[in-house]
């Protein structure tokens, strides 16, 4: 896709060089080359941009779900530890409640 755009820009550059005045050359380059090529490349890249947006949206949703699950796990851990708290011992006492 880009090779066609590069080739067209070369043709337009040669056309603009052959114009009689510099103003006509600049206008030829802009109106026959730069603006149309920019619009066409923008339109041709639309599906790619859409896919990137959808992929980013999916990643954001997955990250949000992971944060929500982590937040729920953080809330759930103290509740479950509180239920077992009567059996737990101090870390330096040498007692292991699993034994």
């Amino acid at each position: 896709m880009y090779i066609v755009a590069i080739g067209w820009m070369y043709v337009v550059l040669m056309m603009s060089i052959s114009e009689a005045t510099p103003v006509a050359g600049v206008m030829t380059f802009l109106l026959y080359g730069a603006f149309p090529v920019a619009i066409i490349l923008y339109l041709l890249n639309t599906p790619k941009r859409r896919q990137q947006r959808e992929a980013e949206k999916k990643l954001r949703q997955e990250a949000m779900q992971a944060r929500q699950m982590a937040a729920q796990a953080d809330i759930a851990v103290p509740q479950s530890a509180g239920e077992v708290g009567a059996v737990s011992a101090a870390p330096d006492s040498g007692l292991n409640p699993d034994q």
Side-chain angles (χ1 to χ4, degrees):
M1 173 172 66
Y2 292 114
I3 192 73
V4 174
I6 292 168
W8 178 247
M9 291 303 291
Y10 175 77
V11 169
V12 170
L13 179 67
M14 293 298 119
M15 287 171 46
S16 64
I17 289 173
S18 67
E19 290 289 339
T21 64
V23 174
V26 169
M27 294 304 290
T28 299
F29 184 76
L30 292 176
L31 295 176
Y32 283 108
F35 294 147
V37 168
I39 291 169
I40 289 172
L41 290 178
Y42 178 79
L43 291 175
L44 290 177
N45 283 327
T46 299
K48 185 177 180 181
R49 286 192 313 274
R50 183 177 299 134
Q51 289 173 350
Q52 287 176 343
R53 269 195 318 264
E54 290 173 359
E56 289 172 1
K57 182 179 177 183
K58 184 178 177 183
L59 286 174
R60 281 194 305 268
Q61 287 176 347
E62 289 174 356
M64 178 67 83
Q65 289 175 350
R67 282 194 301 267
Q68 288 175 349
M69 290 177 66
Q72 289 174 354
D74 288 342
I75 293 171
V77 169
Q79 291 173 352
S80 64
E83 295 169 1
V84 183
V87 183
S88 65
D92 59 341
S93 69
L95 298 176
N96 189 352
D98 294 332
Q99 292 178 352

